[in-house]
Amino acid sequence: MMISTDQTLENLTLTINQEIHVHAPLDTTFAALLEQLGPGNETPDGKSLDMKIEPWPGGRWYRDLGGNNGHFWANVQAIKRPTLLEFAGPLFASFPLVSNVQYRLSEVEGGTLIAFKHTALGFVSDEHRAGMNKGWALMHEGVRRYAEGGK
């Protein structure tokens, strides 16, 4: 049996960019981001994902299933409150993948703009690629709702 080794750079890289406009101040939006990525993180049907964030350089972002069980997502690579939150790690992948996730927040008229960028290198199926874009969009909608007081 032969294993295909004709992977191209396009097959092995992933870039997702999203902008989230939030009608809330910078500090409120940053706090909402930490809440949504951490304890407020839920499945689309409202079940908690039991996520934890240690919001300091080197801190972990992980799913805590109790009894010392869970899933490591990333380490905080950089944090500059309230304008930058950056992670590096495998995220939700149970396949060879390394990711960098950046949230850059800036004040704009009427609130805050979050510039989100997820870049990754590794083996990602087309199905996972489509799911990632949708998953991030759902999570970011939760950040916006939470920051605007509608959680």
Side-chain angles (χ1 to χ4, degrees), residues 69-91:
N69 295 301
H71 188 142
F72 172 76
W73 277 41
N75 287 109
V76 175
Q77 185 169 323
I79 186 169
K80 295 179 183 172
R81 299 169 202 275
T83 60
L84 175 67
L85 181 60
E86 185 175 357
F87 297 101
L91 302 180

Side-chain angles (χ1 to χ4, degrees), residues 20-23 32 139-150:
I20 305 95
H21 294 268
V22 181
H23 299 290
M139 196 177 303
H140 298 151
E141 177 59 20
V143 172
R144 188 194 58 74
R145 275 195 328 269
Y146 189 80
E148 292 176 359

Side-chain angles (χ1 to χ4, degrees), residues 65-128:
L65 299 176
N68 290 323
N69 295 301
H71 188 142
F72 172 76
W73 277 41
N75 287 109
V76 175
Q77 185 169 323
I79 186 169
K80 295 179 183 172
R81 299 169 202 275
T83 60
L84 175 67
L85 181 60
E86 185 175 357
F87 297 101
L91 302 180
F92 38 76
S94 291
F95 43 86
L97 183 72
V98 63
S99 291
N100 176 271
V101 173
Q102 295 179 1
Y103 288 94
R104 295 187 180 278
L105 290 74
S106 57
E107 284 186 272
V108 294
E109 188 173 328
T112 301
L113 174 66
I114 302 172
F116 167 81
K117 185 173 188 175
H118 175 190
T119 53
L121 177 65
F123 299 98
V124 182
S125 70
D126 290 340
E127 180 183 347
H128 279 101

Side-chain angles (χ1 to χ4, degrees), residues 52-74:
K52 308 274 193 233
I53 291 180
E54 299 167 342
W56 53 80
R60 297 169 298 163
W61 183 24
Y62 65 102
R63 189 169 183 198
D64 184 359
L65 299 176
N68 290 323
N69 295 301
H71 188 142
F72 172 76
W73 277 41

